[in-house]
Amino acid sequence: MIEKQLGPIGVMDSGVGGISVLRELVKLLPGEDFLYYGDSAHAPYGTKEVAEVVKLTERIAELLLEKGSKALVVACNTATSVAIPVLRKTYSHVPVIGIEPALKPAVLAKDHPRVLVMATPMTLEQEKFSNMMHFYENDANIVKVPCPGLVELIEDGILDGPELEAYLEARFAPFEPETADGIVLGCTHYPLIRPKIASLFPRATIYDGGYGTAKQTRRRLEECGLLSPKQSGGKVTFLNSKNDPRILALSRKLLEL
Ligand code: DGL
């Protein structure tokens, strides 16, 4: 059992976005080792066919498990919304943790708030999100803001500057940013540019699911007796489908930010 407990936690995303979740995981579970797989060669996922994203996600899960992962964290809202039931069924012997847009805290923060949900087109089109939106529709004014193209900028390491600013200003122009109470970052790439988004919404509170996912991971490991006995000194290993040292350098930089 102790050998199992010492295995790494496999974390996956379509690229570098899941590092926003990895940061929270490392903070909450400092004794754990992490194996992070970014599928940057196939990013973005959010504008592909659902079947293709399911297949890509399964392939990464397989690889992370072959490398000894004791649990899988799908640190991608898009992959979670289309592939999590399949992953949980296929890999029922390990905990599989997903992430979803942090709509609940944004809706419950005040009386009938106006909440903008930024995510990939695929996440916002799924039944999973529609159900969540219907559940809260009487409690808040929820506005979907699909952001095609934004993942690509972040994958290119554009976390600041005129190109990103022009994208965000154009994207939010129709949504009256000044009237928003809450912004939900429903894609794990977006917390990496959180200061830029926050600067456009002086009144709004920004929400993301990273911390909640880290807490859920700890809870599941605890339930399964898989928490590492180590309290500190965990290490992070990055793997990426793009055979490019720049993406690994960007990954390490994003973890330190
Ligand atoms: N980080 C992924 C997410 O949370 C981005 C998906 C994509 O590659 O489009 O949805």
Side-chain angles (χ1 to χ4, degrees), residues 66-99:
E66 270 167 26
K67 291 188 178 294
S69 297
K70 63 180 175 182
L72 295 174
V73 179
V74 184
C76 175
N77 292 263
T78 308
T80 298
S81 53
V82 298
I84 208 90
V86 181
L87 294 185
R88 289 204 174 121
K89 198 165 164 219
T90 314
Y91 309 109
S92 55
H93 60 292
V94 290
V96 179
I97 298 100
I99 184 165

PDB file of all heavy atoms in Angstrom, residues 66-99:
ATOM      1  N   GLU A  66       0.049   4.396 -16.834  1.00  0.00           N
ATOM      2  CA  GLU A  66       1.217   3.553 -17.130  1.00  0.00           C
ATOM      3  C   GLU A  66       2.439   4.026 -16.350  1.00  0.00           C
ATOM      4  O   GLU A  66       3.299   3.254 -15.979  1.00  0.00           O
ATOM      5  CB  GLU A  66       1.561   3.624 -18.620  1.00  0.00           C
ATOM      6  CG  GLU A  66       0.884   2.587 -19.473  1.00  0.00           C
ATOM      7  CD  GLU A  66       1.028   2.916 -20.953  1.00  0.00           C
ATOM      8  OE1 GLU A  66       1.993   3.603 -21.337  1.00  0.00           O
ATOM      9  OE2 GLU A  66       0.135   2.484 -21.716  1.00  0.00           O
ATOM     10  N   LYS A  67       2.504   5.346 -16.124  1.00  0.00           N
ATOM     11  CA  LYS A  67       3.637   5.906 -15.391  1.00  0.00           C
ATOM     12  C   LYS A  67       3.418   5.882 -13.874  1.00  0.00           C
ATOM     13  O   LYS A  67       4.117   6.563 -13.130  1.00  0.00           O
ATOM     14  CB  LYS A  67       3.935   7.330 -15.878  1.00  0.00           C
ATOM     15  CG  LYS A  67       4.485   7.334 -17.305  1.00  0.00           C
ATOM     16  CD  LYS A  67       4.963   8.693 -17.715  1.00  0.00           C
ATOM     17  CE  LYS A  67       5.546   8.692 -19.120  1.00  0.00           C
ATOM     18  NZ  LYS A  67       6.780   7.899 -19.268  1.00  0.00           N
ATOM     19  N   GLY A  68       2.423   5.148 -13.434  1.00  0.00           N
ATOM     20  CA  GLY A  68       2.264   4.884 -12.005  1.00  0.00           C
ATOM     21  C   GLY A  68       1.376   5.857 -11.240  1.00  0.00           C
ATOM     22  O   GLY A  68       1.385   5.853  -9.999  1.00  0.00           O
ATOM     23  N   SER A  69       0.587   6.683 -11.951  1.00  0.00           N
ATOM     24  CA  SER A  69      -0.269   7.648 -11.228  1.00  0.00           C
ATOM     25  C   SER A  69      -1.279   6.917 -10.346  1.00  0.00           C
ATOM     26  O   SER A  69      -1.908   5.950 -10.768  1.00  0.00           O
ATOM     27  CB  SER A  69      -1.018   8.550 -12.212  1.00  0.00           C
ATOM     28  OG  SER A  69      -0.093   9.305 -12.952  1.00  0.00           O
ATOM     29  N   LYS A  70      -1.454   7.418  -9.139  1.00  0.00           N
ATOM     30  CA  LYS A  70      -2.397   6.783  -8.202  1.00  0.00           C
ATOM     31  C   LYS A  70      -3.783   7.422  -8.278  1.00  0.00           C
ATOM     32  O   LYS A  70      -4.751   6.911  -7.709  1.00  0.00           O
ATOM     33  CB  LYS A  70      -1.864   6.885  -6.774  1.00  0.00           C
ATOM     34  CG  LYS A  70      -1.717   8.316  -6.249  1.00  0.00           C
ATOM     35  CD  LYS A  70      -1.176   8.346  -4.839  1.00  0.00           C
ATOM     36  CE  LYS A  70      -0.910   9.776  -4.385  1.00  0.00           C
ATOM     37  NZ  LYS A  70      -0.341   9.832  -3.041  1.00  0.00           N
ATOM     38  N   ALA A  71      -3.860   8.579  -8.966  1.00  0.00           N
ATOM     39  CA  ALA A  71      -5.138   9.265  -9.157  1.00  0.00           C
ATOM     40  C   ALA A  71      -5.002  10.147 -10.394  1.00  0.00           C
ATOM     41  O   ALA A  71      -3.885  10.482 -10.795  1.00  0.00           O
ATOM     42  CB  ALA A  71      -5.460  10.136  -7.942  1.00  0.00           C
ATOM     43  N   LEU A  72      -6.147  10.507 -10.975  1.00  0.00           N
ATOM     44  CA  LEU A  72      -6.119  11.379 -12.155  1.00  0.00           C
ATOM     45  C   LEU A  72      -6.918  12.638 -11.874  1.00  0.00           C
ATOM     46  O   LEU A  72      -8.058  12.552 -11.411  1.00  0.00           O
ATOM     47  CB  LEU A  72      -6.754  10.673 -13.358  1.00  0.00           C
ATOM     48  CG  LEU A  72      -6.056   9.423 -13.904  1.00  0.00           C
ATOM     49  CD1 LEU A  72      -6.906   8.787 -15.004  1.00  0.00           C
ATOM     50  CD2 LEU A  72      -4.663   9.775 -14.441  1.00  0.00           C
ATOM     51  N   VAL A  73      -6.318  13.786 -12.158  1.00  0.00           N
ATOM     52  CA  VAL A  73      -7.054  15.045 -12.055  1.00  0.00           C
ATOM     53  C   VAL A  73      -7.192  15.605 -13.469  1.00  0.00           C
ATOM     54  O   VAL A  73      -6.190  15.894 -14.128  1.00  0.00           O
ATOM     55  CB  VAL A  73      -6.318  16.063 -11.149  1.00  0.00           C
ATOM     56  CG1 VAL A  73      -7.101  17.376 -11.094  1.00  0.00           C
ATOM     57  CG2 VAL A  73      -6.120  15.495  -9.744  1.00  0.00           C
ATOM     58  N   VAL A  74      -8.434  15.710 -13.931  1.00  0.00           N
ATOM     59  CA  VAL A  74      -8.672  16.278 -15.260  1.00  0.00           C
ATOM     60  C   VAL A  74      -8.805  17.788 -15.054  1.00  0.00           C
ATOM     61  O   VAL A  74      -9.869  18.299 -14.741  1.00  0.00           O
ATOM     62  CB  VAL A  74      -9.941  15.664 -15.904  1.00  0.00           C
ATOM     63  CG1 VAL A  74     -10.125  16.196 -17.320  1.00  0.00           C
ATOM     64  CG2 VAL A  74      -9.842  14.144 -15.913  1.00  0.00           C
ATOM     65  N   ALA A  75      -7.669  18.478 -15.210  1.00  0.00           N
ATOM     66  CA  ALA A  75      -7.613  19.913 -14.897  1.00  0.00           C
ATOM     67  C   ALA A  75      -7.997  20.729 -16.125  1.00  0.00           C
ATOM     68  O   ALA A  75      -7.329  21.698 -16.487  1.00  0.00           O
ATOM     69  CB  ALA A  75      -6.220  20.281 -14.398  1.00  0.00           C
ATOM     70  N   CYS A  76      -9.078  20.314 -16.744  1.00  0.00           N
ATOM     71  CA  CYS A  76      -9.558  20.934 -17.983  1.00  0.00           C
ATOM     72  C   CYS A  76     -11.079  20.874 -17.940  1.00  0.00           C
ATOM     73  O   CYS A  76     -11.650  19.779 -17.852  1.00  0.00           O
ATOM     74  CB  CYS A  76      -9.015  20.139 -19.177  1.00  0.00           C
ATOM     75  SG  CYS A  76      -9.631  20.684 -20.778  1.00  0.00           S
ATOM     76  N   ASN A  77     -11.727  22.027 -17.988  1.00  0.00           N
ATOM     77  CA  ASN A  77     -13.197  22.048 -17.945  1.00  0.00           C
ATOM     78  C   ASN A  77     -13.796  21.366 -19.172  1.00  0.00           C
ATOM     79  O   ASN A  77     -14.808  20.676 -19.076  1.00  0.00           O
ATOM     80  CB  ASN A  77     -13.705  23.491 -17.904  1.00  0.00           C
ATOM     81  CG  ASN A  77     -13.381  24.187 -16.613  1.00  0.00           C
ATOM     82  OD1 ASN A  77     -14.205  24.250 -15.717  1.00  0.00           O
ATOM     83  ND2 ASN A  77     -12.176  24.701 -16.490  1.00  0.00           N
ATOM     84  N   THR A  78     -13.155  21.572 -20.309  1.00  0.00           N
ATOM     85  CA  THR A  78     -13.680  21.034 -21.566  1.00  0.00           C
ATOM     86  C   THR A  78     -13.630  19.509 -21.545  1.00  0.00           C
ATOM     87  O   THR A  78     -14.628  18.835 -21.816  1.00  0.00           O
ATOM     88  CB  THR A  78     -12.855  21.591 -22.747  1.00  0.00           C
ATOM     89  OG1 THR A  78     -12.818  23.017 -22.639  1.00  0.00           O
ATOM     90  CG2 THR A  78     -13.441  21.195 -24.077  1.00  0.00           C
ATOM     91  N   ALA A  79     -12.461  18.953 -21.193  1.00  0.00           N
ATOM     92  CA  ALA A  79     -12.318  17.496 -21.141  1.00  0.00           C
ATOM     93  C   ALA A  79     -13.223  16.911 -20.064  1.00  0.00           C
ATOM     94  O   ALA A  79     -13.836  15.854 -20.257  1.00  0.00           O
ATOM     95  CB  ALA A  79     -10.864  17.123 -20.882  1.00  0.00           C
ATOM     96  N   THR A  80     -13.342  17.603 -18.928  1.00  0.00           N
ATOM     97  CA  THR A  80     -14.236  17.102 -17.869  1.00  0.00           C
ATOM     98  C   THR A  80     -15.659  17.020 -18.393  1.00  0.00           C
ATOM     99  O   THR A  80     -16.348  16.017 -18.201  1.00  0.00           O
ATOM    100  CB  THR A  80     -14.197  18.026 -16.632  1.00  0.00           C
ATOM    101  OG1 THR A  80     -12.879  18.031 -16.100  1.00  0.00           O
ATOM    102  CG2 THR A  80     -15.169  17.562 -15.557  1.00  0.00           C
ATOM    103  N   SER A  81     -16.104  18.076 -19.073  1.00  0.00           N
ATOM    104  CA  SER A  81     -17.523  18.088 -19.442  1.00  0.00           C
ATOM    105  C   SER A  81     -17.871  17.016 -20.461  1.00  0.00           C
ATOM    106  O   SER A  81     -18.997  16.562 -20.498  1.00  0.00           O
ATOM    107  CB  SER A  81     -17.998  19.477 -19.881  1.00  0.00           C
ATOM    108  OG  SER A  81     -17.196  19.980 -20.876  1.00  0.00           O
ATOM    109  N   VAL A  82     -16.900  16.566 -21.269  1.00  0.00           N
ATOM    110  CA  VAL A  82     -17.257  15.536 -22.251  1.00  0.00           C
ATOM    111  C   VAL A  82     -16.733  14.134 -21.919  1.00  0.00           C
ATOM    112  O   VAL A  82     -17.267  13.145 -22.402  1.00  0.00           O
ATOM    113  CB  VAL A  82     -16.823  15.917 -23.697  1.00  0.00           C
ATOM    114  CG1 VAL A  82     -17.524  17.182 -24.146  1.00  0.00           C
ATOM    115  CG2 VAL A  82     -15.317  16.060 -23.828  1.00  0.00           C
ATOM    116  N   ALA A  83     -15.672  14.033 -21.110  1.00  0.00           N
ATOM    117  CA  ALA A  83     -15.017  12.714 -20.968  1.00  0.00           C
ATOM    118  C   ALA A  83     -15.048  12.101 -19.574  1.00  0.00           C
ATOM    119  O   ALA A  83     -14.699  10.936 -19.409  1.00  0.00           O
ATOM    120  CB  ALA A  83     -13.557  12.824 -21.440  1.00  0.00           C
ATOM    121  N   ILE A  84     -15.463  12.841 -18.564  1.00  0.00           N
ATOM    122  CA  ILE A  84     -15.307  12.312 -17.200  1.00  0.00           C
ATOM    123  C   ILE A  84     -16.102  11.009 -16.964  1.00  0.00           C
ATOM    124  O   ILE A  84     -15.576  10.084 -16.331  1.00  0.00           O
ATOM    125  CB  ILE A  84     -15.569  13.400 -16.127  1.00  0.00           C
ATOM    126  CG1 ILE A  84     -14.777  13.109 -14.857  1.00  0.00           C
ATOM    127  CG2 ILE A  84     -17.021  13.549 -15.747  1.00  0.00           C
ATOM    128  CD1 ILE A  84     -13.428  13.698 -14.811  1.00  0.00           C
ATOM    129  N   PRO A  85     -17.346  10.868 -17.483  1.00  0.00           N
ATOM    130  CA  PRO A  85     -18.046   9.595 -17.224  1.00  0.00           C
ATOM    131  C   PRO A  85     -17.292   8.403 -17.828  1.00  0.00           C
ATOM    132  O   PRO A  85     -17.186   7.355 -17.199  1.00  0.00           O
ATOM    133  CB  PRO A  85     -19.409   9.788 -17.907  1.00  0.00           C
ATOM    134  CG  PRO A  85     -19.558  11.259 -18.098  1.00  0.00           C
ATOM    135  CD  PRO A  85     -18.172  11.806 -18.258  1.00  0.00           C
ATOM    136  N   VAL A  86     -16.746   8.593 -19.023  1.00  0.00           N
ATOM    137  CA  VAL A  86     -16.005   7.505 -19.681  1.00  0.00           C
ATOM    138  C   VAL A  86     -14.754   7.164 -18.878  1.00  0.00           C
ATOM    139  O   VAL A  86     -14.445   5.994 -18.629  1.00  0.00           O
ATOM    140  CB  VAL A  86     -15.576   7.944 -21.117  1.00  0.00           C
ATOM    141  CG1 VAL A  86     -14.834   6.815 -21.820  1.00  0.00           C
ATOM    142  CG2 VAL A  86     -16.768   8.385 -21.922  1.00  0.00           C
ATOM    143  N   LEU A  87     -14.030   8.190 -18.438  1.00  0.00           N
ATOM    144  CA  LEU A  87     -12.798   7.941 -17.674  1.00  0.00           C
ATOM    145  C   LEU A  87     -13.115   7.207 -16.365  1.00  0.00           C
ATOM    146  O   LEU A  87     -12.410   6.280 -15.980  1.00  0.00           O
ATOM    147  CB  LEU A  87     -12.077   9.251 -17.357  1.00  0.00           C
ATOM    148  CG  LEU A  87     -11.500  10.043 -18.527  1.00  0.00           C
ATOM    149  CD1 LEU A  87     -10.723  11.250 -18.012  1.00  0.00           C
ATOM    150  CD2 LEU A  87     -10.595   9.193 -19.403  1.00  0.00           C
ATOM    151  N   ARG A  88     -14.176   7.651 -15.696  1.00  0.00           N
ATOM    152  CA  ARG A  88     -14.510   7.025 -14.395  1.00  0.00           C
ATOM    153  C   ARG A  88     -14.891   5.562 -14.585  1.00  0.00           C
ATOM    154  O   ARG A  88     -14.611   4.732 -13.724  1.00  0.00           O
ATOM    155  CB  ARG A  88     -15.639   7.789 -13.712  1.00  0.00           C
ATOM    156  CG  ARG A  88     -15.156   9.128 -13.213  1.00  0.00           C
ATOM    157  CD  ARG A  88     -15.999   9.680 -12.069  1.00  0.00           C
ATOM    158  NE  ARG A  88     -15.372  10.885 -11.567  1.00  0.00           N
ATOM    159  CZ  ARG A  88     -15.947  12.089 -11.527  1.00  0.00           C
ATOM    160  NH1 ARG A  88     -17.185  12.233 -11.933  1.00  0.00           N
ATOM    161  NH2 ARG A  88     -15.278  13.123 -11.060  1.00  0.00           N
ATOM    162  N   LYS A  89     -15.512   5.266 -15.725  1.00  0.00           N
ATOM    163  CA  LYS A  89     -15.927   3.893 -15.992  1.00  0.00           C
ATOM    164  C   LYS A  89     -14.712   3.043 -16.360  1.00  0.00           C
ATOM    165  O   LYS A  89     -14.501   1.957 -15.817  1.00  0.00           O
ATOM    166  CB  LYS A  89     -16.939   3.917 -17.142  1.00  0.00           C
ATOM    167  CG  LYS A  89     -17.747   2.681 -17.219  1.00  0.00           C
ATOM    168  CD  LYS A  89     -18.961   2.865 -18.104  1.00  0.00           C
ATOM    169  CE  LYS A  89     -19.477   1.481 -18.435  1.00  0.00           C
ATOM    170  NZ  LYS A  89     -19.937   1.351 -19.789  1.00  0.00           N
ATOM    171  N   THR A  90     -13.886   3.569 -17.258  1.00  0.00           N
ATOM    172  CA  THR A  90     -12.733   2.782 -17.734  1.00  0.00           C
ATOM    173  C   THR A  90     -11.688   2.591 -16.638  1.00  0.00           C
ATOM    174  O   THR A  90     -11.068   1.548 -16.541  1.00  0.00           O
ATOM    175  CB  THR A  90     -12.082   3.490 -18.945  1.00  0.00           C
ATOM    176  OG1 THR A  90     -13.108   3.891 -19.836  1.00  0.00           O
ATOM    177  CG2 THR A  90     -11.096   2.595 -19.672  1.00  0.00           C
ATOM    178  N   TYR A  91     -11.468   3.637 -15.849  1.00  0.00           N
ATOM    179  CA  TYR A  91     -10.396   3.565 -14.832  1.00  0.00           C
ATOM    180  C   TYR A  91     -10.989   3.600 -13.429  1.00  0.00           C
ATOM    181  O   TYR A  91     -10.620   4.421 -12.596  1.00  0.00           O
ATOM    182  CB  TYR A  91      -9.394   4.719 -15.049  1.00  0.00           C
ATOM    183  CG  TYR A  91      -8.928   4.786 -16.482  1.00  0.00           C
ATOM    184  CD1 TYR A  91      -9.343   5.810 -17.319  1.00  0.00           C
ATOM    185  CD2 TYR A  91      -8.112   3.782 -17.012  1.00  0.00           C
ATOM    186  CE1 TYR A  91      -8.953   5.840 -18.655  1.00  0.00           C
ATOM    187  CE2 TYR A  91      -7.719   3.802 -18.341  1.00  0.00           C
ATOM    188  CZ  TYR A  91      -8.144   4.834 -19.151  1.00  0.00           C
ATOM    189  OH  TYR A  91      -7.763   4.853 -20.462  1.00  0.00           O
ATOM    190  N   SER A  92     -11.922   2.680 -13.200  1.00  0.00           N
ATOM    191  CA  SER A  92     -12.654   2.699 -11.935  1.00  0.00           C
ATOM    192  C   SER A  92     -11.768   2.327 -10.741  1.00  0.00           C
ATOM    193  O   SER A  92     -12.166   2.492  -9.593  1.00  0.00           O
ATOM    194  CB  SER A  92     -13.864   1.769 -12.018  1.00  0.00           C
ATOM    195  OG  SER A  92     -13.416   0.489 -12.391  1.00  0.00           O
ATOM    196  N   HIS A  93     -10.548   1.837 -11.011  1.00  0.00           N
ATOM    197  CA  HIS A  93      -9.659   1.438  -9.905  1.00  0.00           C
ATOM    198  C   HIS A  93      -8.892   2.620  -9.315  1.00  0.00           C
ATOM    199  O   HIS A  93      -8.186   2.465  -8.334  1.00  0.00           O
ATOM    200  CB  HIS A  93      -8.676   0.370 -10.387  1.00  0.00           C
ATOM    201  CG  HIS A  93      -7.798   0.827 -11.524  1.00  0.00           C
ATOM    202  ND1 HIS A  93      -8.298   1.091 -12.780  1.00  0.00           N
ATOM    203  CD2 HIS A  93      -6.472   1.085 -11.573  1.00  0.00           C
ATOM    204  CE1 HIS A  93      -7.311   1.469 -13.566  1.00  0.00           C
ATOM    205  NE2 HIS A  93      -6.189   1.485 -12.852  1.00  0.00           N
ATOM    206  N   VAL A  94      -9.003   3.809  -9.936  1.00  0.00           N
ATOM    207  CA  VAL A  94      -8.319   4.984  -9.352  1.00  0.00           C
ATOM    208  C   VAL A  94      -9.318   6.139  -9.217  1.00  0.00           C
ATOM    209  O   VAL A  94     -10.275   6.224  -9.986  1.00  0.00           O
ATOM    210  CB  VAL A  94      -7.133   5.487 -10.237  1.00  0.00           C
ATOM    211  CG1 VAL A  94      -5.967   4.533 -10.227  1.00  0.00           C
ATOM    212  CG2 VAL A  94      -7.570   5.821 -11.644  1.00  0.00           C
ATOM    213  N   PRO A  95      -9.076   7.040  -8.252  1.00  0.00           N
ATOM    214  CA  PRO A  95      -9.938   8.219  -8.188  1.00  0.00           C
ATOM    215  C   PRO A  95      -9.714   9.110  -9.416  1.00  0.00           C
ATOM    216  O   PRO A  95      -8.568   9.346  -9.797  1.00  0.00           O
ATOM    217  CB  PRO A  95      -9.483   8.949  -6.916  1.00  0.00           C
ATOM    218  CG  PRO A  95      -8.579   8.015  -6.192  1.00  0.00           C
ATOM    219  CD  PRO A  95      -8.088   6.995  -7.155  1.00  0.00           C
ATOM    220  N   VAL A  96     -10.810   9.551 -10.032  1.00  0.00           N
ATOM    221  CA  VAL A  96     -10.727  10.459 -11.189  1.00  0.00           C
ATOM    222  C   VAL A  96     -11.475  11.735 -10.807  1.00  0.00           C
ATOM    223  O   VAL A  96     -12.681  11.699 -10.564  1.00  0.00           O
ATOM    224  CB  VAL A  96     -11.349   9.825 -12.459  1.00  0.00           C
ATOM    225  CG1 VAL A  96     -11.262  10.800 -13.633  1.00  0.00           C
ATOM    226  CG2 VAL A  96     -10.667   8.502 -12.812  1.00  0.00           C
ATOM    227  N   ILE A  97     -10.749  12.821 -10.714  1.00  0.00           N
ATOM    228  CA  ILE A  97     -11.339  14.079 -10.253  1.00  0.00           C
ATOM    229  C   ILE A  97     -11.426  15.051 -11.434  1.00  0.00           C
ATOM    230  O   ILE A  97     -10.462  15.196 -12.192  1.00  0.00           O
ATOM    231  CB  ILE A  97     -10.475  14.689  -9.117  1.00  0.00           C
ATOM    232  CG1 ILE A  97     -10.444  13.737  -7.912  1.00  0.00           C
ATOM    233  CG2 ILE A  97     -11.014  16.051  -8.658  1.00  0.00           C
ATOM    234  CD1 ILE A  97      -9.237  12.902  -7.801  1.00  0.00           C
ATOM    235  N   GLY A  98     -12.561  15.704 -11.588  1.00  0.00           N
ATOM    236  CA  GLY A  98     -12.717  16.661 -12.679  1.00  0.00           C
ATOM    237  C   GLY A  98     -12.870  18.074 -12.143  1.00  0.00           C
ATOM    238  O   GLY A  98     -12.815  18.314 -10.935  1.00  0.00           O
ATOM    239  N   ILE A  99     -13.073  19.011 -13.062  1.00  0.00           N
ATOM    240  CA  ILE A  99     -13.271  20.418 -12.655  1.00  0.00           C
ATOM    241  C   ILE A  99     -14.494  20.964 -13.379  1.00  0.00           C
ATOM    242  O   ILE A  99     -14.752  20.606 -14.522  1.00  0.00           O
ATOM    243  CB  ILE A  99     -12.017  21.276 -12.975  1.00  0.00           C
ATOM    244  CG1 ILE A  99     -12.181  22.706 -12.462  1.00  0.00           C
ATOM    245  CG2 ILE A  99     -11.679  21.296 -14.477  1.00  0.00           C
ATOM    246  CD1 ILE A  99     -10.880  23.498 -12.399  1.00  0.00           C
TER     247      ILE A  99
END
